[in-house]
Every structure is written in structure tokens, then in C-alpha cells.
Amino acid sequence: MKQSFWALGLACLLLGSCGGNEQTVSKEQTEAQQFIDSYSQKYVQLYTNVSEAQWRANIEIVEGDSTNTVAARKADEAMAEFTGAADNIENARKFMAMKDKLTELQVRQLEQILYAAANNPQTVADLVKQRIKAENDQTKQLYGYQYMLGGKKVSTNDLDGILKKENNEGKRLAAWTASKEIGKTLKDGLVNLRNYRNQTVQALGYPDFFTYQVSEYGMSTEEMMQTMDRLMQELYPLYRELHTWERYELAKKYNAAVPDYLPAHWLPNRWGQDWSAGIEVKGLNLDSVLATKNAEWIVKEGEKLYTSIGFPALPATFWQKSSLYPYPADSAVKKNNHASAWHMDLNNDVRSLMSVEPNAEWFETANHELGHIYYYLTYTNPDVPPLLRKGANRAYHEAIGSMMGLAAMQKPYVAGRGLINADAKTDETQALLKEALNTVVFIFFSSGTMSNFEKAMYVDSLSPDQWNAKWWELAKKYQGIVPPSARGEEFCDASTKTHINDDPAQYYDYALSYVILYQLHNHIAKNILHQDPHATNYFGQTGIGDFLKKITYPGASKDWRQVLKESTGEELNAKAMLEYFQPLVSWLQEQNKGRKYTLPEQMQ
Ligand code: X8Z
Ligand code: ZN
């Protein structure tokens, strides 16, 4: 299969016409293309090896057996050695120096080559090796961990289930506390990783690893942090109402005094990033409907949504090779408990790693992962060379599936699928409240706590004896959440969030993805479906598929700002998201009348 790409790439070059534009190919272009082609061929080979080795290391973790970890390390080392090789850097720089003479597609590929090089410079080869070892050891530590509750082996799904459903505060506290124990075992590894990650990118001139990651957007750290602040500023009046409402509601539920800040163990999520599980919307109780289904149905149902709007059925290998369901909580073999999607060979081997159970959260997550998978499949096409088989930016990759997941929870969709009675009366305000407790609340975790913590770690080189204090300072400031009791520096509560370990300095991607997804959803509802954005039914609407394919087909071969402008006519902005939730503000103000607000009137 891979062969056909190279053949096609070459045909384009000889004819001098890609995408129909007749052009003569200059000497510089021919030489640059030769370099890009030979680099790409090797890159895809190494990338495939890394994927296979990492896949094993993430789905088969056995205590005392480091076979998979070592194999993953070796594959990573081979990739690092190649991408960071001095001659590759030299060549890429040489061609970049004549970028005016090259095609846009070539320049973009050369930029990718240099970006990959910056994380693995040959000049600091030992450091790169140490980082790779530390990364793979951290994965094993993180996902090989056996969670314990009351002397029993439990899974993260078990703990999440308790936090979503349990009304007994003592039991909630026990589950929350159990979920944070792992942090103690991750701290030393994370301290090393912070240092190695910073030091490796510094060798090629980046000030720190966070700035390196942010630079993929063509932005500086300052610009990104300002974007995060602006986003929170805009949503703050609503968040302040939600925070007040949640304090009073949960105090009622747990029969306790109303606290000034939300105790972390009161919330239905380990990090307080999503408070929606507490709300039952009459006539739209998805959790109880989904509880009657099985895990496989959840994923198949997701696929049906995508095929109904014009995407192809998933390849047979997706079903054969994915790891979609959890292992038993006491299994000696463990797997990564977080959801992910993999483009194994930058071609058609696509897989997902999940631990799906039949509930609303996994329903949403399954749709999210399929968004990644269909993004992979769509930009795997002859017009997009392997090095550019990426999202328009990383946030785009996160946005598509999240949008489908959110759309699939709206009443007309759920009713259309026969899951609820279409005639049942639904409280629309409650439905919107539930959505806000998911997405608006999430912004203050992603833009606030997570992004600022990682900035402190990487940019400000925060001393590890202040990490936990910092984490809770930020959680209080941005989310209005406090720990159940003092959490000293022996804990490392930030590291219980998987991304801090294995998807580092990138969590602002998710905040941006929500902004983008509301822009896209708004456009779809108004201009394609002609439906109210609060009450859409995407099912069977091939116009949506066409729209999404236009966005996803070019991968990273087009500038992301241009993609957004062309698809929605707009720049990146939170207007659509604000507009969507606006009806809630006055309702919440009414509910909160006479209540004490503890978050300041203005965000500080
Ligand atoms: O990590 C994820 C995806 C990874 S592909 C499942 N998400 C964030 C999280 O779980 O923290 C999706 C939204 C937020
Ligand atoms: Zn994702």
C-alpha cells in the first residue's frame, strides 16, 4: 500500500503538476523533493515500528516484565536517532534557506522535519536516550499501577463510577483518596522528565519544552497563555454562576454545610474537569438508556453516526486490532486506562485503545476517538504526504470527535436513534445546564489549572518541592476547588492526570478544541441543518460529512487559520460558545439569588 504513495509523489514531480496547477519544477525543488522523499520513506518505517512497540507497551503491562518497555525504548531510540541526525537537520536547514524557491507543501514538510529534530538533537544524544528511557518507564509505572480501595483491587472505571454515583461522602472521600495514591509513585519520574524534556529542546534553541510544544501553533507561550486567559475571561460570569449553583446543590445532596470552595471529592470526576454526571435531565436520561446496552454497542453506534454522514465503514483491521474494552480490575496484565486513537503506519492501520463501559462518558469518549480515526483516514490520501498527515493543528484533531460526541447527546439525535421517547417532555434548561457543567467547567480546568501548571513546570522551572502546593493554588484560583484535606509535597496530584506524564505541555489543545468545535457546530446547525444549535440531529446528514471532509482532507498541508476562515468564515473566537450558553446565565442568576458568591466578581 505504502508503495503507491511514493509512486504518486514521483508522478506529480515528473509531470510538475500537483492538484492541477501547471508548474515547472525547478532544480531546487527537485533536490528538495529527493531529500523529503527519502526522509519520508525512512520516517514512515520508523514511525510504524514505534507505533507497534508503543501499542504493545500500552496494552500489555506486566509487573516485573520489562520486555515491552525495552522494545518501545529501542524503537523510540531509532526514531530519535534518525529525526535528530545532524545531516537531516543540515539538509532541512539548507533547503529552508531557499524556501522562496520551494513549493508551500515542501516548506511545510521541511518545517515538520526541523520540528521533530528539535526534540531529539544528535548533539545531546545521551540526554535524548535518558529522556526516552524515563518516558517509557513512566508509562509502565502509570498504567501498570494497581489501584486499591478498602483492601480490594479496583480499576479507574470503578473509582470513576463511585465519584459519579455515590451519595455517601465518606465513600466518596475514600475513592478520591485512592485515585490520588498513584501520584506518589510518579513524582520522581516526572521530575526527571521535566528536566530532560527542557534540556533536549534547549539544545536546538527553544527556551523550554512548553514553548516548543506551543510553537506548533505558530504562537509564543505568551500568546497562548493570553489566549487561555481571554477564553476564561469571556466565560467567567457563567462559570461563577455555575460554581455558586454547584456548591449549594452538592451541599444539599450530601446534607452538609455550603462550603466556600468545592471539595474535590464532592465532584463526579477525579479532577473536577466535568461536573455533568450529577444532573439527570427528565426525558433525556442517557445514562439509564446506555446502561441497558453493552460496550460494543457503544462503539458500533458511534461508527453508525459517522457512516450515516458519509464516512466509510471502519476498516476490518480496526475491529481486529483495537483494544476497546477494559481488562478485569485485578488482572495481572494491565493496559493504559485512558482513551486514545492511533494512526499506526500513517496509512490505513488505525486503532483505538479504550476501556469502554456502557455509560454516557464512554459514549462521548468513543465518539471522540472515532473523530481522530476518521481524521486519520481522511487525510490518508495521495494529496497529503506522510509528514503532513496530522491535524490542521492539534486542537482540530481533538475538536472533530468531541463535536460529534456532544451532538450525539442532543435530544433530536437521541430520539431519532430510538433511544428515548421523542414525545417525552424535556427540560431544555436542565439539558443546557448539563452541557455547561461539562464544557464550560472544562475550560477552567484545561485553560486554567492544567495549562498554568505545565507552564509553571516547564517555563518557570518550578521547584518540585512546590508542585503540589502550586497545583492546588491553581485549582482554587481557576476552578474554585480545594482538596478534602491538606495535601503535602509527598503527593503529586497533578501527575494523576495522564497527560501530565505522556501528553506533556499540550493540554491547551483541548481548550482550543472546544472553541473550534462550537464554531463548527454553530456553522453546521445554522448553515447546513438550519436547526437550532441546541437541538440538532446530525444523523444521516451527508452535508455535514462533506463539510468535515473538506476540513480534514488536507491534514496539515494547509494553514489552520485559513482552514477555519474558509470553513466558517471566522477567526478563532469564543462567540459561538458564549452564544450557545447565554440562555443559562439569567436562569442561574435567578437560582442563585440570595446565595453567597465566593469567587470574585472579576477574574483575577
Ligand atoms: O484525553 C482526552 C481524549 C484523548 S484522545 C480522550 N480528552 C481529555 C481528557 O480526557 O482529559 C478528551 C477531552 C479531555
Ligand atoms: Zn483526543
Side-chain angles (χ1 to χ4, degrees), residues 116-191:
N119 205 25
N120 302 312
Q122 188 187 10
T123 47
V124 289
D126 279 346
L127 206 58
V128 172
K129 271 194 175 168
Q130 281 171 297
R131 190 201 70 224
I132 288 171
K133 179 169 189 319
E135 275 168 346
N136 285 294
D137 290 349
Q138 192 80 345
T139 299
K140 184 154 198 281
Q141 193 77 15
L142 173 63
Y143 300 118
Y145 184 78
Q146 178 64 64
Y147 290 86
M148 300 295 290
L149 180 61
K152 277 213 193 92
K153 295 177 176 177
V154 290
S155 66
T156 45
N157 272 346
D158 295 334
L159 295 170
D160 292 345
I162 294 171
L163 292 178
K164 271 187 245 160
K165 289 186 216 119
E166 181 58 59
N167 286 329
N168 179 302
E169 206 191 327
K171 290 186 184 166
R172 301 185 61 83
L173 179 59
W176 185 89
T177 307
S179 78
K180 301 294 164 188
E181 281 297 297
I182 185 176
K184 294 176 186 166
T185 72
L186 296 169
K187 180 157 183 177
D188 289 348
L190 188 59
V191 172

Side-chain angles (χ1 to χ4, degrees), residues 485-536:
S485 57
R487 306 280 297 171
E489 295 298 334
E490 71 277 25
F491 298 105
C492 186
D493 293 320
S495 71
T496 67
K497 186 71 198 158
T498 59
H499 305 68
I500 294 273
N501 304 284
D502 64 2
D503 196 21
Q506 295 167 61
Y507 209 79
Y508 44 81
D509 292 356
Y510 295 106
L512 295 176
S513 79
Y514 274 65
V515 175
I516 294 170
L517 92 77
Y518 277 97
Q519 287 188 264
L520 298 181
H521 174 71
N522 198 43
H523 179 90
I524 289 172
K526 291 183 177 159
N527 301 319
I528 299 178
L529 299 177
H530 308 290
Q531 293 171 3
D532 174 359
H534 301 97
T536 62

Side-chain angles (χ1 to χ4, degrees), residues 328 430 601:
Q430 287 294 303
E601 213 167 322

Side-chain angles (χ1 to χ4, degrees), residues 338-341 365 368-369 372 394 397-399 402 499 503 510:
H338 196 75
S340 52
T365 301
H368 174 98
E369 297 311 328
H372 288 305
R394 298 192 311 252
H397 229 301
E398 299 301 337
S402 285
H499 305 68
D503 196 21
Y510 295 106

